[in-house]
Amino acid sequence: MPDTHLTQTPYEPTLDERALARALSGSHLIGGKLVPARSGKTFAVVNPATGEEVARAAEGDEADVDAAVRNAAEAQKLWAKMPARKRGALVAQCSALIKTHVEEIARLIALETGKALRTESRVEANTVADVLEFFGGLGGEIKGESVPFAPNVLSVTVREPLGVVGAIIPWNVPLLLMTLKIAPALVAGNTVVVKSAEEAPLTVLRICELMNRVLPPGCFNMLSGFGPECGGPLVAHPEVKKVTFTGSVPVGRIVAKAAAEKLIPVTLELGGKSPMIIFADCDFEKTVAGALTSMRFTRQGQSCTAASRIYVERPIYDRFVAAMAERVDAMVMGDPLDEKTDIGTIISDDQMSRVKGFIAEGLATAGAIGRACSAMPKDPALAKGKFIQPHIFTNLPASSRLVTEEIFGPVTCIFPFDDAEAVLAAANDSEYGLAASVWTNNLKIGLEFAHRLEAGLVQINQNLVVQANLSYGGVKSSGLGKEASLESMLEHFTHKKTIMMNYA
Ligand code: ADP
């Protein structure tokens, strides 16, 4: 069984993202060591801004999954015995280490995902440290209750870890979404095997490798590979006692079925089609700026919480559409590693053709207007880059696929409305229920909508991405269970045991 370091990766932060990508090539991280796939297979990691291959990733299969899970199961025996606050302190120490590597991590994630360094990648790298720090402080909160039962009977509950957690993550915000899973899982006394998304394996591996310089070997393992071949066996492995998954609805269903076969708990963070509802009394400039953020244009709209349906009260509708188009026009599309760039690339050719398909369908819809905003980059070095101009659609019928389906690209649809009840019904008329936002200075209306919108997260006059300490997760087809908070750590990464002692 191969168990040696393939390449030497630097401990100190490096700003040469290409050299780092090469050094991380061809490895999983199992039992604290960088190891190749048992099969020896690898697959290409491509810089979406240029089309160049920047690294190879280890192509994991059942044999790698088995090795990683066995290591995690062995490590969990000791990890669970460590006092919870000590585990938390180690996770907080990982945060301190990541903080010294933020710039390196930001450059590497920009290289492999095409997300702009200034507007997205650096922000994400910082949130990794923030989430580790937050959960690192929660070790002492893994506590139970005393339960009144009968005189002379002491009845208490204690929180116990579940065992090995399998964490399957997507490519759009891989570092943040991974950390929201692994940090609470580890602090609660579980060990983890992460399966990265095939489009974004490198930076996840780097974070795992750095954290392994702090954590005991085997506590945090990482595999790269394809969904059915690597993710499938991870969910099915008998030693995996909990699965947490972020990805698409169809794969979420497959994962939930496989978990049901084993009768293990599963948390699912799936898609969204998040409405943004704007009343005429809003603070106009703040709301236009908020719409750009809400639509996650700087992430090319590749977000489950993107405001891809925007409903604007009629008196300000025309002005709002014009202002939004003007603001998106002013955003700079270009090299993700350039500080001037606001908008980088789409992740892959598959996503390019999917998003372009939606845009073509919108443009071909009778009566619909599609505005292409911002300008394609002119640099010849980016000629093969996966760039798509942001599109703002108006006059689409409510039945259009652009309005009902998750596009996961820089495409939003804007509608006028006259009646509050009708717009609420339109907003709720979706199979999804992840996030929503309401923009108004009438807080009575804002709160009423917040209560009646069918979504796991509703924000009034802001639309931030997921934050540590706030429970996050959807209703309807957007998922099962919540993540990111103390309560979700207790609920989803521990089980409650009741202990009774009769001392009569
Ligand atoms: P996206 O459309 O955003 O790529 P997916 O749901 O296809 O979302 O993928 C999210 C994650 O799920 C990725 O890590 C992917 O490899 C993994 N995955 C895909 N198919 C399966 C499967 N059958 N079993 C387990 N994991 C899978």
Side-chain angles (χ1 to χ4, degrees), residues 165-171 177-178 180-181 193 195-198 227-228 231-232 234-235 242-256 259 265-271 304 472-474 477-483 492-493:
V165 170
I168 299 178
I169 57 171
W171 47 261
L177 296 174
M178 171 179 75
L180 288 170
K181 297 176 187 307
V193 177
K195 207 293 276 170
S196 59
E198 36 277 63
L234 180 60
V235 180
K242 151 91 198 189
V243 172
T244 164
F245 170 86
T246 300
S248 62
V249 175
V251 177
R253 289 205 169 94
I254 294 172
V255 169
V266 60
T267 309
L268 303 173
E269 302 291 344
L270 308 177
C304 342
Y472 173 73
S477 293
S478 289
L480 276 183
K482 309 285 178 226
E483 297 198 318
H492 297 298
F493 291 115

Side-chain angles (χ1 to χ4, degrees), residues 217-395:
C219 286
F220 179 24
N221 307 273
M222 182 267 178
L223 302 169
S224 45
F226 297 97
E229 295 77 12
C230 188
L234 180 60
V235 180
H237 197 290
E239 282 294 325
V240 170
K241 304 297 186 192
K242 151 91 198 189
V243 172
T244 164
F245 170 86
T246 300
S248 62
V249 175
V251 177
R253 289 205 169 94
I254 294 172
V255 169
K257 277 186 196 145
E261 273 303 311
K262 287 167 56 186
L263 289 176
I264 59 163
V266 60
T267 309
L268 303 173
E269 302 291 344
L270 308 177
K273 192 75 194 172
S274 302
M276 173 176 188
I277 301 168
I278 302 171
F279 285 91
D281 71 345
C282 70
D283 178 333
F284 188 83
E285 289 305 323
K286 183 179 162 191
T287 305
V288 173
L292 264 61
T293 321
S294 298
M295 186 42 220
R296 320 283 186 243
F297 277 122
T298 53
R299 202 186 296 156
Q300 299 75 258
Q302 300 173 134
S303 164
C304 342
T305 54
S308 50
R309 298 184 285 151
I310 304 182
Y311 300 92
V312 186
E313 208 173 4
R314 181 115 27 209
I316 61 164
Y317 172 77
D318 288 334
R319 191 174 148 222
F320 178 85
V321 173
M324 190 164 167
E326 192 185 318
R327 295 286 283 272
V328 183
D329 261 338
M331 295 176 85
V332 176
M333 242 199 299
D335 179 358
L337 284 160
D338 186 334
E339 294 284 350
K340 290 195 286 301
T341 298
D342 296 305
I343 303 178
T345 69
I346 300 293
I347 187 83
S348 65
D349 290 331
D350 281 356
Q351 278 301 113
M352 280 284 276
S353 43
R354 200 182 124 73
V355 175
K356 281 184 171 171
F358 276 106
I359 293 173
E361 197 172 314
L363 293 174
T365 304
I369 301 168
R371 294 167 181 76
C373 301
S374 183
M376 290 293 276
K378 306 222 166 27
D379 182 351
L382 303 176
K384 290 193 183 145
K386 302 179 207 309
F387 294 94
I388 291 188
Q389 279 180 283
H391 275 69
I392 296 175
F393 278 93
T394 50
N395 292 16

